[in-house]
Each structure stands twice: as C-alpha cells, then as structure tokens.
C-alpha cells in the first residue's frame, strides 16, 4: 500500500467518510477550477493575437509566438534589454528579500521552538500574527509613512543629529525592500519553526557538551533538520515577492519597475491580454525554474517541502 493510500485510510478512520469526501471535492474544485483552468486559459491567450472582437474566431485568430518574441526582441530586431532587465532585476530583488527573511526568521523560529516557553512564547506568536490582521495595502502605506521624507525614520534621525537633510528612502528602494521583507515574514517563520520544533533538544546539548560552538551546533545539527522548512519558506517568499504588485506600486521609487507592473500595464492600460498573458507565463516559468534550483541547492524534494 502506498503512502498516499495509507494517509487516506488514516484520515477516513479518524474523521469519517463524509469529511474525506468533502475535503476531496473541495481540493479538486480548488485545483481544477481556480488554478489549472485559469492557467490553461492564460497560456492559450499568450499564443493568440490581440484582435478586435469581430475577428476573434476568424481566419486571423491563429496561434503565434509574437507575444513571446516581443519580450526578447524589439521592433527593430535588437534585444529587448528593457523588459529583460526588469525581469532580471525583479528576480534579483526577490532573491534578496528571501535571503533577508531567512536571516531574520531563522533565529526567531529557533528561539520560538526551543527557548521561549509559556507566556513568552504566546506573546511572541501574538506579536507576530496580530499586525497581519491589518490589510496588506494599509501596511504598505504605513511603510511609506514610516520611510517618507517627513516620516518617523527621518524625524528620529534628524532629531538625533544623525543626518541633516531628509534621506529619500523611497527612491533608494529601502522602503520597498523593508515592506516586502515584512509582508511575507510569517511565511518564512512558521515553516522553519515547524521543522526546528521536531529537533530533539538533547542533540543540541550533546553537541555543546562535546565542545561545539553555537555556530557549529547550528551548522551541523540544527540546519540539516531545518532545511525543508527553510526551502518551503524560501519558495513561498520568493514566489510571492516576485509576483507582488501592491507593494512595488506604493513603495517603489520612480526608477524602480517590477515585472508585475509591466504585466499590469499590458492587461489594464494597453488592453492587450495576450501579451500580458505571455509575460505572466514567462514570470511563472522563471519562478518555477528558481524553485527547482532551490530544491537542488537544499537537496530536498517536493514532499519534504510540502511537509
């Protein structure tokens, strides 16, 4: 009997056939109608020409690679460095945000799993969760106020004499990276916490008794256990950061352009759903390739990430 069959029999035994059927139908509906079919429709759109309504379904409505070619080549045949550069910068920024989240969330998750107990642990969890009751767009505007020319950061810095004139954190993208890092911090903390919590505390104490430094304990004992959680959190943070739209629109400086903003422009401002779909498919493919690379780097499979 396969692991999936055992899991299904165990679930039916614990919760009954009715609950199993309901969850199975709900998951099937979610996957097929809210994920697979919309993606297939978008993929179909990406290979179509942007035609007037009267020509849709006619002889001109044929499959084409024009929308993808537009991303790679300009009208004069030269390389489309603008759009390719925007995609590259978006990927680099998403990687940067993901690395910051890993650096911030790993110690928090470890402390929450093995150091904080009782009231302290509950207060940490509440402190992490409650701010996310506020809408994402409102949080983005809060970061804009925080890092604005007359915001809290500049006010404190100038009052303490750290700098004389206001620093333009918006133009420097400090506000954008800070907002994105904070926006998905829970998606990094809890997968790492879930993995680290399973670690036997005696292993850490044994390593310390044998003279291992804290750095070596984490590198040789904790990190191997935390790898699936880190990979899972990094996958979610990277995908959501690369696909973010509200935060780049609100917190991005005048010189910063997110690839999702290009997609938004094609869909809504240019009314060219076909080209917008092609750009969205390209973003999806690049993100999937990054996730596959991430799995190879961490040497984990999709099952370990799913747990």
């Amino acid at each position: 009997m396969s692991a999936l069959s055992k899991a299904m029999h165990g679930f039916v035994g614990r919760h009954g056939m009715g609950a199993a059927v309901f969850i199975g139908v709900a998951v099937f509906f979610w996957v097929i109608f809210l994920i697979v079919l919309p993606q297939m429709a978008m993929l179909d759109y990406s290979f179509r020409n942007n035609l007037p309504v009267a020509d849709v379904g006619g002889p001109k409505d044929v499959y084409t690679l024009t929308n993808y070619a537009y991303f790679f080549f300009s009208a004069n045949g030269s390389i489309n460095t603008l759009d390719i550069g925007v995609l590259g910068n978006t990927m680099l920024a998403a990687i940067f945000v993901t690395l910051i989240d890993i650096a911030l969330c790993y110690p928090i998750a470890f402390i929450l799993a093995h150091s904080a107990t009782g009231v302290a642990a509950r207060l940490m969890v509440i402190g992490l969760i409650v701010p996310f009751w506020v809408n994402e767009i409102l949080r983005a505007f809060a970061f804009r106020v925080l890092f604005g020319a007359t915001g809290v950061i500049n006010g404190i810095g100038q009052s303490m004499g750290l700098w004389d004139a206001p620093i333009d954190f918006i133009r420097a993208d400090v506000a954008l990276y800070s907002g994105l890092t904070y926006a998905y911090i829970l998606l990094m903390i809890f997968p790492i916490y879930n993995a680290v919590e399973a670690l036997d505390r005696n292993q850490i104490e044994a390593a310390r008794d044998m003279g291992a430094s804290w750095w070596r304990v984490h590198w040789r004992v904790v990190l191997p256990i935390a790898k699936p959680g880190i990979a899972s959190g990094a996958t979610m943070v990277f995908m959501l950061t690369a696909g973010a739209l509200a935060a780049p629109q609100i917190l991005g400086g005048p010189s910063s352009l997110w690839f999702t903003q290009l997609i938004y422009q094609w869909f809504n401002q240019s009314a060219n759903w076909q080209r917008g779909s092609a750009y969205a498919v390209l973003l999806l493919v690049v993100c999937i390739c990054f996730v596959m690379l991430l799995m190879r780097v961490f040497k984990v499979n999709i099952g370990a990430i799913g747990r």
Side-chain angles (χ1 to χ4, degrees):
M1 184 180 294
S2 65
L4 179 60
S5 298
K6 290 181 180 179
M8 291 177 62
H9 281 287
F11 185 87
V12 172
R14 289 191 302 270
H15 304 285
M17 182 60 71
V21 171
F22 172 78
I23 291 178
V25 171
V27 170
F28 176 83
F29 178 85
W30 178 276
V31 172
I32 299 300
F33 291 97
L34 299 181
I35 299 177
V36 175
L37 292 181
Q39 295 295 330
M40 294 299 293
M42 187 175 67
L43 182 64
D44 180 73
Y45 264 112
S46 70
F47 290 104
R48 299 284 187 174
N49 288 308
N50 185 25
L51 300 173
V53 177
D55 292 334
V56 174
K60 296 181 180 179
D61 192 5
V62 296
Y63 287 106
T64 177
L65 294 174
T66 303
N67 297 312
Y68 292 95
Y70 186 90
F71 171 77
F72 293 102
F73 303 102
S74 301
N76 59 4
S78 61
I79 301 296
N80 186 1
T81 56
L82 176 60
D83 291 353
I84 294 175
V86 170
L87 178 59
N89 290 336
T90 300
M91 294 299 104
L92 290 175
I95 292 172
F96 181 65
V97 170
T98 303
L99 293 175
I100 294 176
D101 267 340
I102 292 174
L104 289 175
C105 296
Y106 174 79
I108 296 174
F110 180 80
I111 292 171
L112 188 60
H114 288 282
S115 297
T117 58
V119 176
R122 289 193 289 271
L123 288 176
M124 284 186 67
V125 173
I126 291 173
L128 289 169
I129 293 176
V130 168
F132 286 85
W133 291 357
V134 179
N135 183 272
E136 178 184 358
I137 295 178
L138 292 179
R139 293 201 308 269
F141 275 110
F143 271 88
R144 190 172 184 90
V145 171
L146 186 68
F147 286 99
T150 58
V152 177
I153 303 296
N154 271 310
I156 294 176
Q158 288 180 276
S159 64
M160 295 178 62
L162 299 178
W163 54 82
D164 297 327
I167 297 176
D168 195 346
F169 291 110
I170 304 296
R171 183 179 293 273
D173 288 333
V174 174
L176 175 59
Y177 290 135
S178 300
L180 288 171
T181 298
Y182 181 74
Y184 308 118
I185 196 169
L186 291 184
L187 298 178
M188 184 68 75
I189 287 178
F190 288 117
I192 299 176
Y193 168 80
N194 187 52
V196 173
E197 188 185 26
L199 177 65
D200 187 355
R201 180 73 185 181
N202 292 328
Q203 292 179 268
I204 299 175
E205 294 178 356
R208 291 291 291 167
D209 291 340
M210 295 177 67
S213 63
W214 268 115
W215 180 90
R216 192 169 181 81
V217 168
H218 281 275
W219 181 255
R220 298 299 296 272
V221 178
V222 182
L223 278 176
I225 301 298
K227 271 199 312 183
I230 294 174
S232 178
T235 298
M236 291 187 288
V237 170
F238 174 82
M239 296 287 282
L240 290 173
T241 302
L245 178 62
Q249 289 274 65
I250 297 170
L251 298 174
S255 60
S256 66
L257 183 62
W258 223 250
F259 195 71
T260 49
Q261 292 174 291
L262 289 181
I263 298 173
Y264 178 85
Q265 291 171 8
W266 284 119
F267 271 103
N268 294 279
Q269 296 178 8
S270 301
N272 192 336
W273 283 40
Q274 291 74 16
R275 190 152 294 164
S277 297
Y279 275 47
V281 169
L282 287 170
L283 177 62
L284 177 63
V285 170
V286 171
C287 288
I288 291 175
C289 290
F290 175 82
V291 171
M292 300 300 291
L293 177 63
L294 191 70
M295 290 168 59
R296 289 185 64 88
V297 170
F298 282 94
K299 297 180 181 179
V300 296
N301 53 37
I302 190 68
I305 292 178
R307 288 195 297 269

